[in-house]
Amino acid sequence: MQRRAHRPRRQPSTLEQIQPWTQRPETPGAHHSPSRGPTEPGGPGSGKQPLGVTQHTPKHSAPDTKNHKYTNILLERQRRWFKDSFDNLLAIAQSQHSPDAGIMLSSGWQIFKEVPTNRKPFWSDFVTGFRTMTDGELKRFPDHKFGQAFTTVKCECSTYLPWLEERFRKAGGRVEQRKVNSLQELSDSFDFIVNCSGLGSKQLVGDASVYPVRGQVLKVDAPWLTHFIRDGDGKTYIYPGIHSVTIGGTRQEGDWRLHVDKGDTDGILDRCSRLEPSLKKAKVLSEWVGLRPSRRNPRVEREWLQLQGRMVPVVHNYGHGGWGVTIAWGTALDALELVRQCLKEMPQQAKL
């Protein structure tokens, strides 16, 4: 079941009323904790291919690295998505809204078993205090040869998403929860549609390129941990949060399973305990499973569809995979601009 917020016909656009925070921020990328299942922290240095958009496919791609899977990206747009998103999150983290929104500053280390080709990635210009770890700091990680230390933002999605929904409602938005099998069902009720249905787009708009990447994480009680630790391969991470510590994870492409896998749980506990031995004393509070809505490139574009005999503009914004929180605000700003373009064109379309 998908939850969607649409603009009713002949009513002011609530999307345009929700503005980003304007306090001074500094960085893109974020670590995030699961809501209705985990999403792998994308954030700086996740080892994934830079993200792209379907309506703009440049002839060149960003430099390839070992776990890159996304292609065809205009690097400047990626940087803007990162920066816009992190500017927004960091501003919230530095405001009085931080506890209500579930957003906090988080410092720690990203470590690598082999020295990466690019020791200073582009996102190092945005995060706070980026530096190479010293030999003394690396001694606690004997299986790793290189590391980076920096301060980023952690987003507790189980708090952040309801907070965003409350803002949307206060701005005049209306939320209706129901199952939608086809966009045809919405044509009589809305002037335009914004499709953020994630994996649901596979059926809703017939996008065969959408696929799940299963993730499993654990919440543990370890209040003594204050710094995050992330393996550069993106498969093992420890993120202290407001009420608990998130440890993970898995990245299983094409896997639709939503039940907890004991083998995955044991593997997560084993790998994370090697990085932080004190986790052997931590109590497991809960286990989460979720599906990342992945795609070769996120789809951020618009199109006009004939629905029930009339042309209706549809703006798509889905396929972010494990980068959801990391680039969400940036892609939303792009989607908002597409909505505004549709609104400007609608009177002309009505005359045709």
Side-chain angles (χ1 to χ4, degrees):
M1 182 174 291
Q2 304 294 334
R3 174 176 290 186
R4 298 179 184 81
H6 302 282
R7 184 182 69 88
R9 295 182 67 180
R10 292 179 293 278
Q11 301 239 345
S13 171
T14 57
L15 289 175
E16 297 185 72
Q17 299 174 27
I18 301 180
Q19 300 298 326
W21 297 94
T22 56
Q23 301 176 10
R24 184 181 64 82
E26 296 181 11
T27 60
H31 303 314
H32 47 286
S33 294
S35 173
R36 305 186 189 124
T39 51
E40 176 128 351
S46 65
K48 300 177 184 176
Q49 176 77 1
L51 299 176
V53 291
T54 56
Q55 80 273 25
H56 189 116
T57 306
K59 295 180 180 179
H60 62 279
S61 299
D64 191 24
T65 61
K66 185 169 66 176
N67 291 315
H68 283 181
K69 293 181 180 178
Y70 293 108
T71 57
N72 301 328
I73 171 63
L74 186 63
L75 184 57
E76 286 307 310
R77 192 165 197 184
Q78 177 199 3
R79 292 168 66 95
R80 177 167 56 79
W81 281 352
F82 265 77
K83 190 174 189 306
D84 287 347
S85 299
F86 212 88
D87 281 359
N88 180 65
L89 291 174
L90 186 61
I92 299 172
Q94 295 174 335
S95 76
Q96 72 271 26
H97 301 285
S98 174
D100 296 329
I103 298 176
M104 57 182 281
L105 294 176
S106 179
S107 299
W109 308 284
Q110 178 166 243
I111 52 179
F112 299 82
K113 293 183 175 67
E114 300 294 336
V115 179
T117 302
N118 187 2
R119 299 189 183 196
K120 194 175 185 295
F122 80 85
W123 51 262
S124 63
D125 295 333
F126 303 115
V127 297
T128 302
F130 178 90
R131 62 178 176 81
T132 298
M133 291 173 63
T134 65
D135 292 340
E137 290 173 315
L138 281 171
K139 283 183 179 179
R140 65 174 295 183
F141 307 112
D143 295 331
H144 296 74
K145 300 179 180 179
F146 182 82
Q148 300 155 338
F150 54 92
T151 298
T152 182
V153 174
K154 183 167 192 305
C155 179
E156 302 274 359
C157 284
S158 57
T159 302
Y160 180 58
L161 294 181
W163 182 77
L164 285 179
E165 182 178 323
E166 182 181 4
R167 287 187 64 201
F168 178 75
R169 290 179 184 273
K170 287 182 177 179
R174 177 168 61 88
V175 176
E176 176 183 341
Q177 187 170 348
R178 64 186 171 102
K179 185 175 181 179
V180 178
N181 296 301
S182 169
L183 295 182
Q184 297 284 344
E185 301 174 21
L186 305 175
S187 61
D188 290 336
S189 303
F190 303 98
D191 287 322
F192 65 83
I193 300 168
V194 178
N195 172 31
C196 303
S197 58
L199 282 173
S201 291
K202 194 174 187 69
Q203 288 77 37
L204 188 64
V205 295
D207 190 342
S209 64
V210 178
Y211 63 95
V213 176
R214 182 182 178 275
Q216 180 169 321
V217 299
L218 284 65
K219 295 282 190 178
V220 300
D221 185 20
W224 58 87
L225 297 182
T226 57
H227 289 74
F228 70 82
I229 304 172
R230 185 178 193 279
D231 194 302
D233 65 9
K235 297 179 181 178
T236 305
Y237 43 85
I238 302 166
Y239 292 126
I242 298 174
H243 303 295
S244 61
V245 177
T246 302
I247 64 174
T250 66
R251 191 188 297 155
Q252 298 153 330
E253 295 187 9
D255 192 334
W256 290 87
R257 292 176 301 144
L258 288 172
H259 64 271
V260 172
D261 185 293
K262 185 179 183 303
D264 288 337
T265 295
D266 293 342
I268 291 169
L269 289 170
D270 178 64
R271 297 194 314 273
C272 290
S273 294
R274 286 185 219 162
L275 297 182
E276 178 52 67
S278 69
L279 282 173
K280 294 179 180 179
K281 300 290 185 179
K283 178 183 178 182
V284 175
L285 301 175
S286 62
E287 299 168 274
W288 292 77
V289 173
L291 305 178
R292 306 174 184 92
S294 299
R295 201 172 182 273
R296 184 183 181 192
N297 292 318
R299 187 181 185 190
V300 184
E301 65 180 359
R302 64 175 183 152
E303 63 178 333
W304 289 83
L305 297 179
Q306 185 166 354
L307 304 177
Q308 301 294 335
R310 70 187 185 99
M311 298 302 293
V312 177
V314 178
V315 173
H316 300 283
N317 184 15
Y318 65 88
H320 296 55
W323 290 69
V325 172
T326 306
I327 62 172
W329 201 266
T331 60
L333 291 176
D334 277 9
L336 174 58
E337 182 57 31
L338 294 175
V339 168
R340 286 173 172 155
Q341 292 175 19
C342 290
L343 289 174
K344 291 179 181 178
E345 295 174 7
M346 285 174 70
Q348 179 181 356
Q349 288 289 331
K351 296 176 182 178
L352 296 179

